[in-house]
Amino acid sequence: MTKSEFLIILRKKLISIPEQDRRKTIQYYSEMIDDRIEEGFSEEDAVEQIGLVYELASQIMSDYKEQSSDGRSDPNSTQQKKSVNPVVVILLILGFPLWFSLLLTAFAVLVSLFITLWSVIIAFWSVFVSFIACAFSGVIVGVVFNILGNVFPGTAMIGAALILAGLSVFSFYGCKALTKGAAFLTKQIAVLIKKVFLKRRPSDA
């Protein structure tokens, strides 16, 4: 089942609850599916992980009825919003120079790690390009040497060029695997940061 099919069925099954609550619920599960897709799952697998849409709709409706009887209207909220503690606010303000500096330092370290990681990847690809260039040049120079009568150095040059060509094949697959791994790691870290700083609930929509 695709994301759009899942959301269409869910919207129809929740037709009896108020529009605002229904919209929040639909948006919540839409973002939940998007998060799983960002983690590398296919759209169908992401939807499957959410659960059967009919059972989910029944559960939401049941929760909504229970919460409505308790004076709550959000079908996915498990607790009332807590009031902000003034002491916490004061501590956050007083500790701003400290926690902001730590946050800035952590961000700088993270950026440095990303730069270092991708610098290494670029360096490996540079080696691959060098192998290709040297192999190509070696063949040309070797052929020229053979034409000019310098058979031994020409043949040696061609042999070295062939070795470099073989190394370039191995380095290509190595660079490709490293790039794929670095991209996956970067994506996972980005998703983790997003979840930490942008925690979303239906009631926040």
mmCIF file of all heavy atoms in Angstrom, residues 1-45:
data_model
loop_
_atom_site.group_PDB
_atom_site.id
_atom_site.type_symbol
_atom_site.label_atom_id
_atom_site.label_comp_id
_atom_site.label_asym_id
_atom_site.label_seq_id
_atom_site.Cartn_x
_atom_site.Cartn_y
_atom_site.Cartn_z
ATOM 1 N N MET A 1 0.846 -1.194 0.000
ATOM 2 C CA MET A 1 0.000 0.000 0.000
ATOM 3 C C MET A 1 0.881 1.243 0.000
ATOM 4 O O MET A 1 1.863 1.324 0.731
ATOM 5 C CB MET A 1 -0.915 0.000 1.231
ATOM 6 C CG MET A 1 -1.838 1.220 1.320
ATOM 7 S SD MET A 1 -2.875 1.196 2.802
ATOM 8 C CE MET A 1 -3.946 -0.211 2.432
ATOM 9 N N THR A 2 0.523 2.207 -0.818
ATOM 10 C CA THR A 2 1.296 3.444 -0.892
ATOM 11 C C THR A 2 0.878 4.400 0.226
ATOM 12 O O THR A 2 -0.147 4.202 0.885
ATOM 13 C CB THR A 2 1.103 4.132 -2.246
ATOM 14 O OG1 THR A 2 -0.272 4.533 -2.370
ATOM 15 C CG2 THR A 2 1.468 3.205 -3.388
ATOM 16 N N LYS A 3 1.666 5.449 0.374
ATOM 17 C CA LYS A 3 1.368 6.443 1.401
ATOM 18 C C LYS A 3 0.019 7.114 1.149
ATOM 19 O O LYS A 3 -0.783 7.279 2.071
ATOM 20 C CB LYS A 3 2.487 7.482 1.437
ATOM 21 C CG LYS A 3 2.220 8.663 2.336
ATOM 22 C CD LYS A 3 3.308 9.706 2.200
ATOM 23 C CE LYS A 3 2.945 10.972 2.958
ATOM 24 N NZ LYS A 3 3.974 12.027 2.797
ATOM 25 N N SER A 4 -0.227 7.516 -0.096
ATOM 26 C CA SER A 4 -1.479 8.223 -0.404
ATOM 27 C C SER A 4 -2.684 7.328 -0.172
ATOM 28 O O SER A 4 -3.714 7.777 0.348
ATOM 29 C CB SER A 4 -1.468 8.734 -1.844
ATOM 30 O OG SER A 4 -1.421 7.687 -2.766
ATOM 31 N N GLU A 5 -2.592 6.049 -0.535
ATOM 32 C CA GLU A 5 -3.702 5.110 -0.304
ATOM 33 C C GLU A 5 -3.959 4.955 1.194
ATOM 34 O O GLU A 5 -5.113 4.944 1.640
ATOM 35 C CB GLU A 5 -3.373 3.756 -0.925
ATOM 36 C CG GLU A 5 -3.348 3.766 -2.457
ATOM 37 C CD GLU A 5 -2.832 2.468 -3.038
ATOM 38 O OE1 GLU A 5 -2.188 1.696 -2.297
ATOM 39 O OE2 GLU A 5 -3.058 2.213 -4.230
ATOM 40 N N PHE A 6 -2.884 4.832 1.948
ATOM 41 C CA PHE A 6 -2.996 4.689 3.405
ATOM 42 C C PHE A 6 -3.711 5.897 4.010
ATOM 43 O O PHE A 6 -4.638 5.751 4.816
ATOM 44 C CB PHE A 6 -1.592 4.539 3.997
ATOM 45 C CG PHE A 6 -1.562 4.417 5.493
ATOM 46 C CD1 PHE A 6 -1.626 3.186 6.109
ATOM 47 C CD2 PHE A 6 -1.444 5.555 6.286
ATOM 48 C CE1 PHE A 6 -1.588 3.083 7.497
ATOM 49 C CE2 PHE A 6 -1.411 5.468 7.665
ATOM 50 C CZ PHE A 6 -1.481 4.223 8.267
ATOM 51 N N LEU A 7 -3.296 7.104 3.615
ATOM 52 C CA LEU A 7 -3.862 8.321 4.191
ATOM 53 C C LEU A 7 -5.311 8.551 3.758
ATOM 54 O O LEU A 7 -6.132 9.056 4.525
ATOM 55 C CB LEU A 7 -3.001 9.531 3.819
ATOM 56 C CG LEU A 7 -1.562 9.506 4.358
ATOM 57 C CD1 LEU A 7 -0.795 10.732 3.890
ATOM 58 C CD2 LEU A 7 -1.552 9.415 5.875
ATOM 59 N N ILE A 8 -5.621 8.171 2.523
ATOM 60 C CA ILE A 8 -7.001 8.320 2.040
ATOM 61 C C ILE A 8 -7.948 7.435 2.844
ATOM 62 O O ILE A 8 -9.024 7.870 3.280
ATOM 63 C CB ILE A 8 -7.089 7.979 0.532
ATOM 64 C CG1 ILE A 8 -6.423 9.082 -0.304
ATOM 65 C CG2 ILE A 8 -8.551 7.824 0.104
ATOM 66 C CD1 ILE A 8 -6.290 8.743 -1.770
ATOM 67 N N ILE A 9 -7.550 6.179 3.050
ATOM 68 C CA ILE A 9 -8.388 5.253 3.819
ATOM 69 C C ILE A 9 -8.508 5.737 5.263
ATOM 70 O O ILE A 9 -9.595 5.727 5.852
ATOM 71 C CB ILE A 9 -7.800 3.829 3.774
ATOM 72 C CG1 ILE A 9 -7.840 3.287 2.337
ATOM 73 C CG2 ILE A 9 -8.552 2.899 4.724
ATOM 74 C CD1 ILE A 9 -7.152 1.951 2.171
ATOM 75 N N LEU A 10 -7.399 6.171 5.832
ATOM 76 C CA LEU A 10 -7.410 6.640 7.216
ATOM 77 C C LEU A 10 -8.335 7.846 7.375
ATOM 78 O O LEU A 10 -9.101 7.940 8.333
ATOM 79 C CB LEU A 10 -5.993 6.997 7.659
ATOM 80 C CG LEU A 10 -5.820 7.401 9.124
ATOM 81 C CD1 LEU A 10 -6.244 6.256 10.045
ATOM 82 C CD2 LEU A 10 -4.369 7.796 9.406
ATOM 83 N N ARG A 11 -8.283 8.770 6.417
ATOM 84 C CA ARG A 11 -9.145 9.959 6.470
ATOM 85 C C ARG A 11 -10.631 9.558 6.416
ATOM 86 O O ARG A 11 -11.467 10.109 7.139
ATOM 87 C CB ARG A 11 -8.809 10.907 5.324
ATOM 88 C CG ARG A 11 -9.697 12.152 5.265
ATOM 89 C CD ARG A 11 -9.265 13.075 4.147
ATOM 90 N NE ARG A 11 -7.982 13.676 4.441
ATOM 91 C CZ ARG A 11 -7.824 14.773 5.194
ATOM 92 N NH1 ARG A 11 -8.883 15.354 5.741
ATOM 93 N NH2 ARG A 11 -6.634 15.274 5.396
ATOM 94 N N LYS A 12 -10.948 8.595 5.557
ATOM 95 C CA LYS A 12 -12.342 8.151 5.439
ATOM 96 C C LYS A 12 -12.818 7.482 6.724
ATOM 97 O O LYS A 12 -13.960 7.672 7.141
ATOM 98 C CB LYS A 12 -12.484 7.188 4.260
ATOM 99 C CG LYS A 12 -12.343 7.851 2.891
ATOM 100 C CD LYS A 12 -12.510 6.831 1.781
ATOM 101 C CE LYS A 12 -12.399 7.488 0.410
ATOM 102 N NZ LYS A 12 -12.524 6.502 -0.694
ATOM 103 N N LYS A 13 -11.937 6.710 7.345
ATOM 104 C CA LYS A 13 -12.325 5.998 8.556
ATOM 105 C C LYS A 13 -12.471 6.930 9.761
ATOM 106 O O LYS A 13 -13.163 6.589 10.727
ATOM 107 C CB LYS A 13 -11.285 4.906 8.874
ATOM 108 C CG LYS A 13 -11.272 3.762 7.884
ATOM 109 C CD LYS A 13 -12.600 3.023 7.898
ATOM 110 C CE LYS A 13 -12.618 1.888 6.889
ATOM 111 N NZ LYS A 13 -13.915 1.177 6.904
ATOM 112 N N LEU A 14 -11.817 8.091 9.690
ATOM 113 C CA LEU A 14 -11.872 9.037 10.808
ATOM 114 C C LEU A 14 -12.851 10.173 10.532
ATOM 115 O O LEU A 14 -12.753 11.241 11.126
ATOM 116 C CB LEU A 14 -10.472 9.611 11.086
ATOM 117 C CG LEU A 14 -9.375 8.599 11.438
ATOM 118 C CD1 LEU A 14 -8.061 9.311 11.693
ATOM 119 C CD2 LEU A 14 -9.776 7.760 12.650
ATOM 120 N N ILE A 15 -13.788 9.957 9.618
ATOM 121 C CA ILE A 15 -14.699 11.015 9.183
ATOM 122 C C ILE A 15 -15.580 11.520 10.329
ATOM 123 O O ILE A 15 -16.077 12.657 10.293
ATOM 124 C CB ILE A 15 -15.580 10.503 8.015
ATOM 125 C CG1 ILE A 15 -16.294 11.677 7.339
ATOM 126 C CG2 ILE A 15 -16.547 9.445 8.520
ATOM 127 C CD1 ILE A 15 -15.390 12.633 6.650
ATOM 128 N N SER A 16 -15.771 10.691 11.369
ATOM 129 C CA SER A 16 -16.706 11.070 12.436
ATOM 130 C C SER A 16 -16.069 11.962 13.502
ATOM 131 O O SER A 16 -16.773 12.470 14.369
ATOM 132 C CB SER A 16 -17.271 9.814 13.105
ATOM 133 O OG SER A 16 -16.237 9.036 13.661
ATOM 134 N N ILE A 17 -14.739 12.157 13.444
ATOM 135 C CA ILE A 17 -14.111 13.031 14.438
ATOM 136 C C ILE A 17 -13.971 14.426 13.844
ATOM 137 O O ILE A 17 -14.003 14.597 12.616
ATOM 138 C CB ILE A 17 -12.743 12.482 14.896
ATOM 139 C CG1 ILE A 17 -11.696 12.575 13.772
ATOM 140 C CG2 ILE A 17 -12.873 11.054 15.378
ATOM 141 C CD1 ILE A 17 -10.311 12.152 14.212
ATOM 142 N N PRO A 18 -13.818 15.458 14.667
ATOM 143 C CA PRO A 18 -13.730 16.830 14.160
ATOM 144 C C PRO A 18 -12.601 17.000 13.140
ATOM 145 O O PRO A 18 -11.570 16.331 13.214
ATOM 146 C CB PRO A 18 -13.464 17.655 15.425
ATOM 147 C CG PRO A 18 -14.054 16.844 16.528
ATOM 148 C CD PRO A 18 -13.834 15.414 16.144
ATOM 149 N N GLU A 19 -12.823 17.912 12.215
ATOM 150 C CA GLU A 19 -11.882 18.128 11.113
ATOM 151 C C GLU A 19 -10.484 18.476 11.608
ATOM 152 O O GLU A 19 -9.486 17.988 11.077
ATOM 153 C CB GLU A 19 -12.415 19.244 10.197
ATOM 154 C CG GLU A 19 -11.435 19.693 9.115
ATOM 155 C CD GLU A 19 -11.072 18.573 8.158
ATOM 156 O OE1 GLU A 19 -11.896 17.640 7.992
ATOM 157 O OE2 GLU A 19 -9.970 18.611 7.578
ATOM 158 N N GLN A 20 -10.395 19.323 12.630
ATOM 159 C CA GLN A 20 -9.081 19.740 13.114
ATOM 160 C C GLN A 20 -8.297 18.559 13.674
ATOM 161 O O GLN A 20 -7.105 18.384 13.378
ATOM 162 C CB GLN A 20 -9.235 20.808 14.195
ATOM 163 C CG GLN A 20 -7.902 21.353 14.707
ATOM 164 C CD GLN A 20 -8.073 22.442 15.748
ATOM 165 O OE1 GLN A 20 -9.193 22.779 16.118
ATOM 166 N NE2 GLN A 20 -6.967 22.988 16.221
ATOM 167 N N ASP A 21 -8.960 17.717 14.463
ATOM 168 C CA ASP A 21 -8.294 16.539 15.017
ATOM 169 C C ASP A 21 -7.942 15.546 13.918
ATOM 170 O O ASP A 21 -6.889 14.908 13.958
ATOM 171 C CB ASP A 21 -9.193 15.868 16.057
ATOM 172 C CG ASP A 21 -9.389 16.731 17.290
ATOM 173 O OD1 ASP A 21 -8.483 17.539 17.593
ATOM 174 O OD2 ASP A 21 -10.446 16.617 17.935
ATOM 175 N N ARG A 22 -8.834 15.397 12.944
ATOM 176 C CA ARG A 22 -8.564 14.482 11.842
ATOM 177 C C ARG A 22 -7.359 14.961 11.025
ATOM 178 O O ARG A 22 -6.498 14.169 10.644
ATOM 179 C CB ARG A 22 -9.801 14.358 10.949
ATOM 180 C CG ARG A 22 -9.624 13.340 9.817
ATOM 181 C CD ARG A 22 -10.936 12.977 9.161
ATOM 182 N NE ARG A 22 -11.533 14.110 8.465
ATOM 183 C CZ ARG A 22 -12.610 14.759 8.882
ATOM 184 N NH1 ARG A 22 -13.219 14.407 10.010
ATOM 185 N NH2 ARG A 22 -13.103 15.773 8.191
ATOM 186 N N ARG A 23 -7.307 16.275 10.791
ATOM 187 C CA ARG A 23 -6.185 16.833 10.022
ATOM 188 C C ARG A 23 -4.860 16.625 10.752
ATOM 189 O O ARG A 23 -3.848 16.268 10.145
ATOM 190 C CB ARG A 23 -6.422 18.318 9.781
ATOM 191 C CG ARG A 23 -5.288 19.014 9.026
ATOM 192 C CD ARG A 23 -5.603 20.483 8.805
ATOM 193 N NE ARG A 23 -5.845 21.163 10.066
ATOM 194 C CZ ARG A 23 -4.876 21.600 10.874
ATOM 195 N NH1 ARG A 23 -3.605 21.399 10.551
ATOM 196 N NH2 ARG A 23 -5.179 22.223 11.993
ATOM 197 N N LYS A 24 -4.862 16.847 12.071
ATOM 198 C CA LYS A 24 -3.647 16.646 12.860
ATOM 199 C C LYS A 24 -3.192 15.188 12.811
ATOM 200 O O LYS A 24 -1.994 14.897 12.696
ATOM 201 C CB LYS A 24 -3.886 17.057 14.308
ATOM 202 C CG LYS A 24 -4.028 18.552 14.519
ATOM 203 C CD LYS A 24 -4.271 18.850 15.997
ATOM 204 C CE LYS A 24 -4.414 20.343 16.234
ATOM 205 N NZ LYS A 24 -4.663 20.643 17.684
ATOM 206 N N THR A 25 -4.149 14.288 12.911
ATOM 207 C CA THR A 25 -3.826 12.861 12.894
ATOM 208 C C THR A 25 -3.255 12.443 11.540
ATOM 209 O O THR A 25 -2.253 11.718 11.466
ATOM 210 C CB THR A 25 -5.079 12.024 13.207
ATOM 211 O OG1 THR A 25 -5.614 12.435 14.464
ATOM 212 C CG2 THR A 25 -4.743 10.546 13.258
ATOM 213 N N ILE A 26 -3.877 12.895 10.458
ATOM 214 C CA ILE A 26 -3.396 12.563 9.113
ATOM 215 C C ILE A 26 -1.987 13.109 8.909
ATOM 216 O O ILE A 26 -1.102 12.428 8.378
ATOM 217 C CB ILE A 26 -4.353 13.134 8.042
ATOM 218 C CG1 ILE A 26 -5.737 12.477 8.135
ATOM 219 C CG2 ILE A 26 -3.766 12.932 6.644
ATOM 220 C CD1 ILE A 26 -5.736 10.999 7.928
ATOM 221 N N GLN A 27 -1.764 14.346 9.347
ATOM 222 C CA GLN A 27 -0.444 14.958 9.186
ATOM 223 C C GLN A 27 0.603 14.200 9.997
ATOM 224 O O GLN A 27 1.733 14.007 9.547
ATOM 225 C CB GLN A 27 -0.478 16.419 9.623
ATOM 226 C CG GLN A 27 0.860 17.147 9.439
ATOM 227 C CD GLN A 27 0.765 18.609 9.802
ATOM 228 O OE1 GLN A 27 -0.304 19.121 10.093
ATOM 229 N NE2 GLN A 27 1.900 19.277 9.793
ATOM 230 N N TYR A 28 0.224 13.763 11.192
ATOM 231 C CA TYR A 28 1.137 13.020 12.055
ATOM 232 C C TYR A 28 1.617 11.729 11.386
ATOM 233 O O TYR A 28 2.826 11.451 11.335
ATOM 234 C CB TYR A 28 0.436 12.703 13.379
ATOM 235 C CG TYR A 28 1.223 11.797 14.287
ATOM 236 C CD1 TYR A 28 2.370 12.247 14.924
ATOM 237 C CD2 TYR A 28 0.814 10.486 14.510
ATOM 238 C CE1 TYR A 28 3.091 11.417 15.762
ATOM 239 C CE2 TYR A 28 1.522 9.647 15.349
ATOM 240 C CZ TYR A 28 2.668 10.119 15.976
ATOM 241 O OH TYR A 28 3.375 9.293 16.798
ATOM 242 N N TYR A 29 0.683 10.956 10.849
ATOM 243 C CA TYR A 29 1.068 9.685 10.230
ATOM 244 C C TYR A 29 1.750 9.910 8.880
ATOM 245 O O TYR A 29 2.586 9.104 8.464
ATOM 246 C CB TYR A 29 -0.151 8.769 10.103
ATOM 247 C CG TYR A 29 -0.534 8.180 11.435
ATOM 248 C CD1 TYR A 29 -1.637 8.678 12.144
ATOM 249 C CD2 TYR A 29 0.214 7.164 12.008
ATOM 250 C CE1 TYR A 29 -1.969 8.165 13.392
ATOM 251 C CE2 TYR A 29 -0.124 6.643 13.257
ATOM 252 C CZ TYR A 29 -1.205 7.156 13.933
ATOM 253 O OH TYR A 29 -1.522 6.648 15.165
ATOM 254 N N SER A 30 1.432 10.995 8.206
ATOM 255 C CA SER A 30 2.134 11.333 6.973
ATOM 256 C C SER A 30 3.597 11.617 7.256
ATOM 257 O O SER A 30 4.512 11.144 6.548
ATOM 258 C CB SER A 30 1.474 12.553 6.314
ATOM 259 O OG SER A 30 2.208 12.970 5.181
ATOM 260 N N GLU A 31 3.852 12.383 8.319
ATOM 261 C CA GLU A 31 5.235 12.702 8.690
ATOM 262 C C GLU A 31 5.955 11.464 9.212
ATOM 263 O O GLU A 31 7.158 11.298 8.983
ATOM 264 C CB GLU A 31 5.233 13.807 9.738
ATOM 265 C CG GLU A 31 4.763 15.150 9.195
ATOM 266 C CD GLU A 31 4.581 16.187 10.280
ATOM 267 O OE1 GLU A 31 4.643 15.802 11.476
ATOM 268 O OE2 GLU A 31 4.385 17.368 9.951
ATOM 269 N N MET A 32 5.229 10.575 9.888
ATOM 270 C CA MET A 32 5.829 9.345 10.386
ATOM 271 C C MET A 32 6.314 8.467 9.217
ATOM 272 O O MET A 32 7.415 7.900 9.258
ATOM 273 C CB MET A 32 4.821 8.576 11.241
ATOM 274 C CG MET A 32 5.389 7.328 11.891
ATOM 275 S SD MET A 32 4.142 6.402 12.839
ATOM 276 C CE MET A 32 3.826 7.585 14.161
ATOM 277 N N ILE A 33 5.495 8.384 8.166
ATOM 278 C CA ILE A 33 5.888 7.613 6.977
ATOM 279 C C ILE A 33 7.084 8.271 6.302
ATOM 280 O O ILE A 33 8.033 7.595 5.888
ATOM 281 C CB ILE A 33 4.702 7.499 6.004
ATOM 282 C CG1 ILE A 33 3.573 6.666 6.626
ATOM 283 C CG2 ILE A 33 5.148 6.872 4.676
ATOM 284 C CD1 ILE A 33 2.294 6.652 5.818
ATOM 285 N N ASP A 34 7.061 9.611 6.193
ATOM 286 C CA ASP A 34 8.180 10.333 5.577
ATOM 287 C C ASP A 34 9.476 10.088 6.340
ATOM 288 O O ASP A 34 10.545 9.958 5.732
ATOM 289 C CB ASP A 34 7.877 11.831 5.526
ATOM 290 C CG ASP A 34 6.787 12.175 4.523
ATOM 291 O OD1 ASP A 34 6.548 11.357 3.614
ATOM 292 O OD2 ASP A 34 6.168 13.244 4.657
ATOM 293 N N ASP A 35 9.401 10.046 7.676
ATOM 294 C CA ASP A 35 10.596 9.792 8.487
ATOM 295 C C ASP A 35 11.195 8.428 8.174
ATOM 296 O O ASP A 35 12.416 8.285 8.056
ATOM 297 C CB ASP A 35 10.251 9.871 9.983
ATOM 298 C CG ASP A 35 10.027 11.303 10.445
ATOM 299 O OD1 ASP A 35 10.478 12.220 9.732
ATOM 300 O OD2 ASP A 35 9.402 11.501 11.496
ATOM 301 N N ARG A 36 10.341 7.430 8.008
ATOM 302 C CA ARG A 36 10.840 6.090 7.717
ATOM 303 C C ARG A 36 11.424 6.020 6.303
ATOM 304 O O ARG A 36 12.396 5.310 6.058
ATOM 305 C CB ARG A 36 9.715 5.069 7.890
ATOM 306 C CG ARG A 36 9.470 4.715 9.355
ATOM 307 C CD ARG A 36 8.133 4.034 9.585
ATOM 308 N NE ARG A 36 8.015 3.537 10.935
ATOM 309 C CZ ARG A 36 7.839 4.300 12.015
ATOM 310 N NH1 ARG A 36 7.765 5.609 11.863
ATOM 311 N NH2 ARG A 36 7.746 3.775 13.232
ATOM 312 N N ILE A 37 10.834 6.757 5.374
ATOM 313 C CA ILE A 37 11.380 6.798 4.017
ATOM 314 C C ILE A 37 12.758 7.454 4.036
ATOM 315 O O ILE A 37 13.688 7.016 3.355
ATOM 316 C CB ILE A 37 10.421 7.555 3.072
ATOM 317 C CG1 ILE A 37 9.123 6.751 2.885
ATOM 318 C CG2 ILE A 37 11.085 7.794 1.711
ATOM 319 C CD1 ILE A 37 8.069 7.472 2.069
ATOM 320 N N GLU A 38 12.921 8.512 4.859
ATOM 321 C CA GLU A 38 14.211 9.172 4.989
ATOM 322 C C GLU A 38 15.256 8.249 5.596
ATOM 323 O O GLU A 38 16.452 8.397 5.338
ATOM 324 C CB GLU A 38 14.063 10.423 5.856
ATOM 325 C CG GLU A 38 13.309 11.563 5.173
ATOM 326 C CD GLU A 38 13.159 12.769 6.078
ATOM 327 O OE1 GLU A 38 13.653 12.703 7.234
ATOM 328 O OE2 GLU A 38 12.564 13.768 5.644
ATOM 329 N N GLU A 39 14.809 7.280 6.407
ATOM 330 C CA GLU A 39 15.723 6.324 7.022
ATOM 331 C C GLU A 39 16.151 5.234 6.042
ATOM 332 O O GLU A 39 16.976 4.389 6.373
ATOM 333 C CB GLU A 39 15.071 5.700 8.248
ATOM 334 C CG GLU A 39 14.874 6.686 9.391
ATOM 335 C CD GLU A 39 14.051 6.113 10.532
ATOM 336 O OE1 GLU A 39 13.671 4.915 10.441
ATOM 337 O OE2 GLU A 39 13.792 6.829 11.502
ATOM 338 N N GLY A 40 15.584 5.215 4.849
ATOM 339 C CA GLY A 40 16.008 4.273 3.822
ATOM 340 C C GLY A 40 14.996 3.215 3.449
ATOM 341 O O GLY A 40 15.270 2.380 2.587
ATOM 342 N N PHE A 41 13.816 3.230 4.073
ATOM 343 C CA PHE A 41 12.796 2.239 3.741
ATOM 344 C C PHE A 41 12.046 2.668 2.479
ATOM 345 O O PHE A 41 11.942 3.861 2.173
ATOM 346 C CB PHE A 41 11.791 2.090 4.883
ATOM 347 C CG PHE A 41 12.375 1.496 6.139
ATOM 348 C CD1 PHE A 41 12.775 2.311 7.190
ATOM 349 C CD2 PHE A 41 12.533 0.122 6.266
ATOM 350 C CE1 PHE A 41 13.319 1.771 8.346
ATOM 351 C CE2 PHE A 41 13.072 -0.427 7.416
ATOM 352 C CZ PHE A 41 13.471 0.402 8.465
ATOM 353 N N SER A 42 11.537 1.684 1.755
ATOM 354 C CA SER A 42 10.685 1.998 0.615
ATOM 355 C C SER A 42 9.349 2.515 1.130
ATOM 356 O O SER A 42 9.014 2.356 2.311
ATOM 357 C CB SER A 42 10.459 0.757 -0.252
ATOM 358 O OG SER A 42 9.706 -0.216 0.452
ATOM 359 N N GLU A 43 8.582 3.133 0.241
ATOM 360 C CA GLU A 43 7.295 3.697 0.663
ATOM 361 C C GLU A 43 6.371 2.610 1.196
ATOM 362 O O GLU A 43 5.709 2.791 2.221
ATOM 363 C CB GLU A 43 6.642 4.418 -0.519
ATOM 364 C CG GLU A 43 5.321 5.096 -0.174
ATOM 365 C CD GLU A 43 4.752 5.888 -1.349
ATOM 366 O OE1 GLU A 43 5.520 6.182 -2.290
ATOM 367 O OE2 GLU A 43 3.541 6.193 -1.314
ATOM 368 N N GLU A 44 6.333 1.453 0.509
ATOM 369 C CA GLU A 44 5.458 0.359 0.930
ATOM 370 C C GLU A 44 5.889 -0.193 2.295
ATOM 371 O O GLU A 44 5.046 -0.486 3.155
ATOM 372 C CB GLU A 44 5.453 -0.758 -0.115
ATOM 373 C CG GLU A 44 4.738 -0.414 -1.415
ATOM 374 C CD GLU A 44 5.549 0.534 -2.296
ATOM 375 O OE1 GLU A 44 6.755 0.711 -2.012
ATOM 376 O OE2 GLU A 44 4.985 1.081 -3.260
ATOM 377 N N ASP A 45 7.218 -0.347 2.500
ATOM 378 C CA ASP A 45 7.710 -0.858 3.774
ATOM 379 C C ASP A 45 7.435 0.137 4.904
ATOM 380 O O ASP A 45 7.109 -0.260 6.033
ATOM 381 C CB ASP A 45 9.212 -1.136 3.688
ATOM 382 C CG ASP A 45 9.527 -2.333 2.803
ATOM 383 O OD1 ASP A 45 8.616 -3.156 2.597
ATOM 384 O OD2 ASP A 45 10.658 -2.443 2.318
#
